[in-house]
Amino acid sequence: MQGERPSLLTWVRNYGSTGAVLTVQPDDVWTHPDSDLEIRPDGTAYGVVPLWTTEESPSDIAAEFEVDTRGRAEILDVRVL
């Protein structure tokens, strides 16, 4: 997540007293205990992963996403866990 969808970054901008700055997400975001991935019978998937910021690794901010049958991911929401 690099900020291409500013409408989804409300929680990032309002996180804590000064907001948060997202960083590049590490590969172990997929195995983090707060990450959740559900593969559906139709081959699509739904997941939630925590996001890393310059102040917290990871933070309480999470990205909610879906993956279609072609492997394309779409971020649905960014929220505080």
Side-chain angles (χ1 to χ4, degrees):
M1 170 148 237
Q2 297 177 6
E4 305 91 16
R5 306 217 17 221
S7 64
L8 295 179
L9 297 178
T10 301
W11 284 106
V12 175
R13 287 190 302 271
N14 296 324
Y15 188 70
S17 61
T18 60
V21 176
L22 298 177
T23 63
V24 175
Q25 304 305 297
D27 289 339
D28 42 338
V29 68
W30 304 110
T31 57
H32 191 276
D34 290 337
S35 294
D36 186 31
L37 181 66
E38 173 191 337
I39 299 173
R40 300 174 179 137
D42 66 359
T44 63
Y46 168 82
V48 178
V49 292
L51 297 176
W52 270 242
T53 67
T54 55
E55 298 292 322
E56 298 178 302
S57 301
S59 71
D60 291 332
I61 304 169
E64 185 177 341
F65 63 93
E66 284 189 317
V67 181
D68 67 19
T69 56
R70 296 181 187 172
R72 292 181 296 189
E74 177 183 2
I75 296 176
L76 304 173
D77 198 9
V78 175
R79 59 187 169 84
V80 174
L81 293 171

